[in-house]
Amino acid sequence: AQTVTQSQPEMSVQEAETVTLSCTYDTSESDYYLFWYKQPPSRQMILVIRQEAYKQQNATENRFSVNFQKAAKSFSLKISDSQLGDAAMYFCAYRRLGGGSNYKLTFGKGTLLTVNP
Amino acid sequence: NAGVTQTPKFQVLKTGQSMTLQCAQDMNHNSMYWYRQDPGMGLRLIYYSASEGTTDKGEVPNGYNVSRLNKREFSLRLESAAPSQTSVYFCASSEGLAYTDTQYFGPGTRLTVL
């Protein structure tokens, strides 16, 4: 079974600085997808960034980028120029290929990010 | 365009009571999902509906039933609530099940079972 581990329950960063959130996963599959979701105090889940395992190039979305290390099964999220609005719980998620009854999205336990002014 | 809406926002039940959580989306999405979120844990999938007329079990389906009433609505029913079902429940929808299809989440329902 796939598992997703986020080893940092809490992180803090100064406004305008850079922070990296860690995520590791365990799978025996060779192709899959990885995601980072943000959950602010409003509790809405918001997709931040996604990565296809077959792509070697790391995904980027504005101030958010990932460091995907397939062999190490590591998928970290880097937030540059941190803003107060980045404060939230961040979840790493794994999804295997396929749909229908094969659909499965596994989440880590989350990392609570605090941004200090 | 309200996105994904859920009712109620809060609910307190006694053990053994039943209730239905309602979810609706106005984005013409094909796929809909129900998750639960417990303290210190990520979201876990309860049930999902790939398209209108189909439903499938997720990771933690025991104690729940679902109905895809039409393309817009996907309800979650607890027939006999148990304290272990105290959680925050999220509904989500997406265009389809492709990984490129972003899931849009509702605001959640906080359920307490006494």
Side-chain angles (χ1 to χ4, degrees):
Chain A
Q2 293 83 15
T3 57
V4 177
T5 302
Q6 293 177 249
S7 58
Q8 307 150 316
E10 296 184 33
M11 293 279 286
S12 63
V13 63
Q14 290 296 126
E15 198 175 2
E17 306 261 308
T18 295
V19 64
T20 298
L21 308 184
S22 301
C23 173
T24 59
Y25 57 93
D26 186 29
T27 182
S28 58
E29 298 173 349
S30 59
D31 210 358
Y32 45 86
Y33 313 113
L34 297 164
F35 306 85
W36 277 99
Y37 279 88
K38 169 185 177 181
Q39 186 181 41
S42 66
R43 295 202 315 230
Q44 294 272 144
M45 292 284 285
I46 304 164
L47 178 65
V48 175
I49 199 166
R50 62 177 168 231
Q51 173 82 40
E52 297 91 328
Y54 67 87
K55 289 187 178 178
Q56 294 188 350
Q57 186 174 7
N58 289 323
T60 61
E61 285 288 344
N62 301 314
R63 298 183 295 106
F64 298 87
S65 62
V66 298
N67 183 4
F68 174 48
Q69 302 287 330
K70 191 173 184 180
K73 296 180 181 174
S74 170
F75 182 60
S76 60
L77 174 70
K78 184 171 85 172
I79 306 174
S80 304
D81 185 26
S82 297
Q83 300 175 0
L84 295 178
D86 294 334
M89 183 73 86
Y90 286 81
F91 291 97
C92 178
Y94 166 102
R95 185 196 156 167
R96 65 187 185 199
L97 285 177
S101 58
N102 286 323
Y103 175 83
K104 183 176 173 65
L105 183 63
T106 303
F107 286 84
K109 293 184 178 182
T111 296
L112 181 62
L113 178 66
T114 303
V115 181
N116 301 310
Chain B
N1 191 335
V4 179
T5 57
Q6 292 181 234
T7 55
K9 287 187 168 51
F10 301 93
Q11 183 71 49
V12 179
L13 293 178
K14 293 181 180 178
T15 297
Q17 287 185 317
S18 63
M19 80 160 295
T20 299
L21 306 183
Q22 306 287 354
C23 174
Q25 51 90 9
D26 61 3
M27 295 173 281
N28 200 35
H29 284 168
N30 292 302
S31 303
M32 298 185 73
Y33 316 80
W34 275 106
Y35 293 90
R36 61 177 287 173
Q37 183 178 31
D38 300 305
M41 305 216 23
L43 277 71
R44 292 183 293 169
L45 184 65
I46 304 171
Y47 271 94
Y48 67 99
S49 170
S51 60
E52 187 179 356
T54 69
T55 60
D56 281 290
K57 294 179 180 179
E59 187 180 355
V60 287
N62 292 343
Y64 305 95
N65 286 301
V66 291
S67 295
R68 182 74 183 267
L69 304 169
N70 47 55
K71 192 171 186 179
R72 286 188 65 247
E73 299 171 286
F74 188 40
S75 63
L76 178 72
R77 183 161 178 83
L78 288 69
E79 289 291 352
S80 178
S84 61
Q85 293 179 304
T86 294
S87 188
V88 180
Y89 291 85
F90 289 94
C91 177
S93 71
S94 64
E95 178 71 33
L97 292 185
Y99 78 96
T100 50
D101 293 333
T102 300
Q103 290 192 26
Y104 295 85
F105 285 77
T109 294
R110 186 176 294 277
L111 175 66
T112 302
V113 183
L114 303 175

mmCIF file of all heavy atoms in Angstrom, chain B residues 67-95:
data_model
loop_
_atom_site.group_PDB
_atom_site.id
_atom_site.type_symbol
_atom_site.label_atom_id
_atom_site.label_comp_id
_atom_site.label_asym_id
_atom_site.label_seq_id
_atom_site.Cartn_x
_atom_site.Cartn_y
_atom_site.Cartn_z
ATOM 1 N N SER B 67 -25.057 8.528 -2.289
ATOM 2 C CA SER B 67 -26.000 8.559 -3.408
ATOM 3 C C SER B 67 -25.582 9.684 -4.343
ATOM 4 O O SER B 67 -25.413 10.821 -3.907
ATOM 5 C CB SER B 67 -27.430 8.819 -2.928
ATOM 6 O OG SER B 67 -27.902 7.767 -2.133
ATOM 7 N N ARG B 68 -25.410 9.318 -5.617
ATOM 8 C CA ARG B 68 -25.168 10.372 -6.625
ATOM 9 C C ARG B 68 -26.544 10.662 -7.200
ATOM 10 O O ARG B 68 -27.021 9.999 -8.117
ATOM 11 C CB ARG B 68 -24.208 9.875 -7.701
ATOM 12 C CG ARG B 68 -23.871 10.940 -8.741
ATOM 13 C CD ARG B 68 -22.921 11.976 -8.190
ATOM 14 N NE ARG B 68 -22.630 13.037 -9.122
ATOM 15 C CZ ARG B 68 -21.594 13.045 -9.947
ATOM 16 N NH1 ARG B 68 -20.743 12.012 -9.959
ATOM 17 N NH2 ARG B 68 -21.405 14.069 -10.753
ATOM 18 N N LEU B 69 -27.177 11.658 -6.660
ATOM 19 C CA LEU B 69 -28.575 11.947 -6.963
ATOM 20 C C LEU B 69 -28.751 12.398 -8.413
ATOM 21 O O LEU B 69 -29.743 12.071 -9.059
ATOM 22 C CB LEU B 69 -29.077 13.019 -6.002
ATOM 23 C CG LEU B 69 -28.909 12.662 -4.513
ATOM 24 C CD1 LEU B 69 -29.176 13.868 -3.628
ATOM 25 C CD2 LEU B 69 -29.811 11.495 -4.145
ATOM 26 N N ASN B 70 -27.826 13.167 -8.879
ATOM 27 C CA ASN B 70 -27.799 13.648 -10.265
ATOM 28 C C ASN B 70 -26.381 14.164 -10.491
ATOM 29 O O ASN B 70 -25.506 13.962 -9.633
ATOM 30 C CB ASN B 70 -28.848 14.753 -10.479
ATOM 31 C CG ASN B 70 -28.797 15.802 -9.383
ATOM 32 O OD1 ASN B 70 -27.742 16.376 -9.132
ATOM 33 N ND2 ASN B 70 -29.916 16.020 -8.715
ATOM 34 N N LYS B 71 -26.135 14.826 -11.588
ATOM 35 C CA LYS B 71 -24.770 15.253 -11.861
ATOM 36 C C LYS B 71 -24.285 16.273 -10.825
ATOM 37 O O LYS B 71 -23.107 16.331 -10.500
ATOM 38 C CB LYS B 71 -24.676 15.857 -13.270
ATOM 39 C CG LYS B 71 -23.241 16.053 -13.747
ATOM 40 C CD LYS B 71 -23.192 16.433 -15.199
ATOM 41 C CE LYS B 71 -21.732 16.484 -15.667
ATOM 42 N NZ LYS B 71 -21.626 16.838 -17.099
ATOM 43 N N ARG B 72 -25.163 17.054 -10.287
ATOM 44 C CA ARG B 72 -24.785 18.126 -9.363
ATOM 45 C C ARG B 72 -24.595 17.663 -7.925
ATOM 46 O O ARG B 72 -23.807 18.238 -7.197
ATOM 47 C CB ARG B 72 -25.871 19.215 -9.350
ATOM 48 C CG ARG B 72 -25.945 20.105 -10.550
ATOM 49 C CD ARG B 72 -26.925 21.240 -10.309
ATOM 50 N NE ARG B 72 -26.470 22.119 -9.240
ATOM 51 C CZ ARG B 72 -27.073 22.263 -8.057
ATOM 52 N NH1 ARG B 72 -28.146 21.562 -7.765
ATOM 53 N NH2 ARG B 72 -26.594 23.094 -7.154
ATOM 54 N N GLU B 73 -25.347 16.654 -7.511
ATOM 55 C CA GLU B 73 -25.441 16.372 -6.087
ATOM 56 C C GLU B 73 -24.922 14.985 -5.708
ATOM 57 O O GLU B 73 -25.189 13.992 -6.395
ATOM 58 C CB GLU B 73 -26.900 16.504 -5.636
ATOM 59 C CG GLU B 73 -27.480 17.894 -5.843
ATOM 60 C CD GLU B 73 -28.973 17.920 -5.582
ATOM 61 O OE1 GLU B 73 -29.734 17.414 -6.429
ATOM 62 O OE2 GLU B 73 -29.352 18.429 -4.518
ATOM 63 N N PHE B 74 -24.223 14.960 -4.563
ATOM 64 C CA PHE B 74 -23.629 13.717 -4.074
ATOM 65 C C PHE B 74 -23.753 13.726 -2.565
ATOM 66 O O PHE B 74 -23.112 14.528 -1.894
ATOM 67 C CB PHE B 74 -22.158 13.667 -4.509
ATOM 68 C CG PHE B 74 -21.446 12.375 -4.249
ATOM 69 C CD1 PHE B 74 -22.058 11.153 -4.438
ATOM 70 C CD2 PHE B 74 -20.111 12.378 -3.859
ATOM 71 C CE1 PHE B 74 -21.377 9.960 -4.242
ATOM 72 C CE2 PHE B 74 -19.414 11.191 -3.661
ATOM 73 C CZ PHE B 74 -20.050 9.991 -3.844
ATOM 74 N N SER B 75 -24.586 12.858 -2.017
ATOM 75 C CA SER B 75 -24.842 12.893 -0.582
ATOM 76 C C SER B 75 -24.147 11.744 0.127
ATOM 77 O O SER B 75 -23.897 10.676 -0.447
ATOM 78 C CB SER B 75 -26.349 12.847 -0.320
ATOM 79 O OG SER B 75 -26.882 11.625 -0.803
ATOM 80 N N LEU B 76 -23.862 11.984 1.392
ATOM 81 C CA LEU B 76 -23.203 10.983 2.255
ATOM 82 C C LEU B 76 -24.112 10.715 3.438
ATOM 83 O O LEU B 76 -24.510 11.633 4.143
ATOM 84 C CB LEU B 76 -21.858 11.526 2.744
ATOM 85 C CG LEU B 76 -21.066 10.624 3.706
ATOM 86 C CD1 LEU B 76 -20.488 9.430 2.950
ATOM 87 C CD2 LEU B 76 -19.941 11.403 4.380
ATOM 88 N N ARG B 77 -24.420 9.442 3.670
ATOM 89 C CA ARG B 77 -25.343 9.106 4.749
ATOM 90 C C ARG B 77 -24.653 8.259 5.809
ATOM 91 O O ARG B 77 -23.943 7.296 5.476
ATOM 92 C CB ARG B 77 -26.563 8.376 4.204
ATOM 93 C CG ARG B 77 -27.596 8.056 5.285
ATOM 94 C CD ARG B 77 -28.957 7.776 4.717
ATOM 95 N NE ARG B 77 -29.908 7.420 5.768
ATOM 96 C CZ ARG B 77 -30.560 8.314 6.523
ATOM 97 N NH1 ARG B 77 -30.361 9.613 6.347
ATOM 98 N NH2 ARG B 77 -31.406 7.905 7.447
ATOM 99 N N LEU B 78 -24.909 8.635 7.059
ATOM 100 C CA LEU B 78 -24.504 7.827 8.202
ATOM 101 C C LEU B 78 -25.779 7.200 8.751
ATOM 102 O O LEU B 78 -26.662 7.888 9.240
ATOM 103 C CB LEU B 78 -23.850 8.684 9.291
ATOM 104 C CG LEU B 78 -22.452 9.239 9.033
ATOM 105 C CD1 LEU B 78 -22.431 10.304 7.946
ATOM 106 C CD2 LEU B 78 -21.855 9.788 10.324
ATOM 107 N N GLU B 79 -25.897 5.909 8.659
ATOM 108 C CA GLU B 79 -27.129 5.227 9.071
ATOM 109 C C GLU B 79 -27.241 5.123 10.587
ATOM 110 O O GLU B 79 -28.303 5.291 11.153
ATOM 111 C CB GLU B 79 -27.183 3.828 8.461
ATOM 112 C CG GLU B 79 -27.425 3.806 6.966
ATOM 113 C CD GLU B 79 -28.836 4.268 6.580
ATOM 114 O OE1 GLU B 79 -29.687 4.459 7.471
ATOM 115 O OE2 GLU B 79 -29.071 4.472 5.367
ATOM 116 N N SER B 80 -26.150 4.850 11.253
ATOM 117 C CA SER B 80 -26.145 4.714 12.709
ATOM 118 C C SER B 80 -24.815 5.280 13.199
ATOM 119 O O SER B 80 -23.802 4.582 13.240
ATOM 120 C CB SER B 80 -26.285 3.245 13.106
ATOM 121 O OG SER B 80 -26.238 3.105 14.512
ATOM 122 N N ALA B 81 -24.847 6.574 13.539
ATOM 123 C CA ALA B 81 -23.600 7.273 13.832
ATOM 124 C C ALA B 81 -22.883 6.698 15.056
ATOM 125 O O ALA B 81 -23.519 6.284 16.042
ATOM 126 C CB ALA B 81 -23.880 8.754 14.046
ATOM 127 N N ALA B 82 -21.565 6.696 14.978
ATOM 128 C CA ALA B 82 -20.711 6.225 16.075
ATOM 129 C C ALA B 82 -19.704 7.321 16.419
ATOM 130 O O ALA B 82 -19.350 8.117 15.544
ATOM 131 C CB ALA B 82 -19.981 4.956 15.662
ATOM 132 N N PRO B 83 -19.234 7.361 17.669
ATOM 133 C CA PRO B 83 -18.244 8.385 18.045
ATOM 134 C C PRO B 83 -17.008 8.386 17.143
ATOM 135 O O PRO B 83 -16.405 9.439 16.933
ATOM 136 C CB PRO B 83 -17.891 8.003 19.479
ATOM 137 C CG PRO B 83 -19.132 7.356 20.012
ATOM 138 C CD PRO B 83 -19.682 6.570 18.840
ATOM 139 N N SER B 84 -16.654 7.235 16.587
ATOM 140 C CA SER B 84 -15.489 7.157 15.698
ATOM 141 C C SER B 84 -15.702 7.933 14.395
ATOM 142 O O SER B 84 -14.752 8.160 13.642
ATOM 143 C CB SER B 84 -15.156 5.702 15.369
ATOM 144 O OG SER B 84 -16.254 5.099 14.701
ATOM 145 N N GLN B 85 -16.943 8.320 14.143
ATOM 146 C CA GLN B 85 -17.235 9.085 12.932
ATOM 147 C C GLN B 85 -17.195 10.595 13.181
ATOM 148 O O GLN B 85 -17.474 11.388 12.270
ATOM 149 C CB GLN B 85 -18.593 8.670 12.361
ATOM 150 C CG GLN B 85 -18.590 7.240 11.850
ATOM 151 C CD GLN B 85 -19.925 6.798 11.307
ATOM 152 O OE1 GLN B 85 -20.939 6.866 12.011
ATOM 153 N NE2 GLN B 85 -19.931 6.316 10.076
ATOM 154 N N THR B 86 -16.834 10.983 14.378
ATOM 155 C CA THR B 86 -16.583 12.398 14.654
ATOM 156 C C THR B 86 -15.409 12.852 13.810
ATOM 157 O O THR B 86 -14.321 12.278 13.889
ATOM 158 C CB THR B 86 -16.270 12.618 16.147
ATOM 159 O OG1 THR B 86 -17.429 12.315 16.909
ATOM 160 C CG2 THR B 86 -15.823 14.041 16.409
ATOM 161 N N SER B 87 -15.636 13.855 12.977
ATOM 162 C CA SER B 87 -14.617 14.243 12.014
ATOM 163 C C SER B 87 -15.081 15.493 11.273
ATOM 164 O O SER B 87 -16.197 15.980 11.472
ATOM 165 C CB SER B 87 -14.383 13.104 11.025
ATOM 166 O OG SER B 87 -13.274 13.369 10.193
ATOM 167 N N VAL B 88 -14.228 15.992 10.415
ATOM 168 C CA VAL B 88 -14.622 17.036 9.469
ATOM 169 C C VAL B 88 -14.743 16.374 8.109
ATOM 170 O O VAL B 88 -13.818 15.685 7.663
ATOM 171 C CB VAL B 88 -13.606 18.190 9.410
ATOM 172 C CG1 VAL B 88 -14.077 19.252 8.416
ATOM 173 C CG2 VAL B 88 -13.418 18.809 10.791
ATOM 174 N N TYR B 89 -15.869 16.564 7.461
ATOM 175 C CA TYR B 89 -16.155 15.911 6.197
ATOM 176 C C TYR B 89 -16.082 16.935 5.063
ATOM 177 O O TYR B 89 -16.683 17.999 5.125
ATOM 178 C CB TYR B 89 -17.536 15.261 6.229
ATOM 179 C CG TYR B 89 -17.583 14.084 7.161
ATOM 180 C CD1 TYR B 89 -17.814 14.247 8.518
ATOM 181 C CD2 TYR B 89 -17.355 12.794 6.676
ATOM 182 C CE1 TYR B 89 -17.833 13.169 9.383
ATOM 183 C CE2 TYR B 89 -17.367 11.700 7.531
ATOM 184 C CZ TYR B 89 -17.606 11.899 8.877
ATOM 185 O OH TYR B 89 -17.608 10.828 9.723
ATOM 186 N N PHE B 90 -15.335 16.560 4.031
ATOM 187 C CA PHE B 90 -15.184 17.413 2.863
ATOM 188 C C PHE B 90 -15.739 16.716 1.632
ATOM 189 O O PHE B 90 -15.483 15.540 1.400
ATOM 190 C CB PHE B 90 -13.710 17.741 2.602
ATOM 191 C CG PHE B 90 -13.111 18.680 3.597
ATOM 192 C CD1 PHE B 90 -12.429 18.201 4.698
ATOM 193 C CD2 PHE B 90 -13.225 20.048 3.420
ATOM 194 C CE1 PHE B 90 -11.868 19.065 5.618
ATOM 195 C CE2 PHE B 90 -12.664 20.926 4.331
ATOM 196 C CZ PHE B 90 -11.993 20.427 5.438
ATOM 197 N N CYS B 91 -16.463 17.486 0.863
ATOM 198 C CA CYS B 91 -16.900 17.053 -0.453
ATOM 199 C C CYS B 91 -16.012 17.747 -1.480
ATOM 200 O O CYS B 91 -15.556 18.884 -1.256
ATOM 201 C CB CYS B 91 -18.358 17.451 -0.655
ATOM 202 S SG CYS B 91 -19.030 17.056 -2.281
ATOM 203 N N ALA B 92 -15.755 17.097 -2.576
ATOM 204 C CA ALA B 92 -14.958 17.688 -3.646
ATOM 205 C C ALA B 92 -15.518 17.263 -4.990
ATOM 206 O O ALA B 92 -16.244 16.265 -5.077
ATOM 207 C CB ALA B 92 -13.493 17.279 -3.520
ATOM 208 N N SER B 93 -15.169 18.014 -6.010
ATOM 209 C CA SER B 93 -15.570 17.626 -7.361
ATOM 210 C C SER B 93 -14.437 17.930 -8.328
ATOM 211 O O SER B 93 -13.562 18.754 -8.046
ATOM 212 C CB SER B 93 -16.847 18.352 -7.794
ATOM 213 O OG SER B 93 -16.586 19.733 -8.039
ATOM 214 N N SER B 94 -14.470 17.256 -9.463
ATOM 215 C CA SER B 94 -13.491 17.521 -10.507
ATOM 216 C C SER B 94 -14.106 17.205 -11.863
ATOM 217 O O SER B 94 -15.104 16.483 -11.949
ATOM 218 C CB SER B 94 -12.209 16.703 -10.303
ATOM 219 O OG SER B 94 -12.472 15.325 -10.421
ATOM 220 N N GLU B 95 -13.468 17.695 -12.904
ATOM 221 C CA GLU B 95 -13.954 17.460 -14.260
ATOM 222 C C GLU B 95 -14.110 15.947 -14.493
ATOM 223 O O GLU B 95 -15.105 15.478 -15.011
ATOM 224 C CB GLU B 95 -12.976 18.062 -15.259
ATOM 225 C CG GLU B 95 -13.333 17.851 -16.709
ATOM 226 C CD GLU B 95 -14.529 18.673 -17.141
ATOM 227 O OE1 GLU B 95 -14.706 19.791 -16.617
ATOM 228 O OE2 GLU B 95 -15.301 18.188 -17.975
#
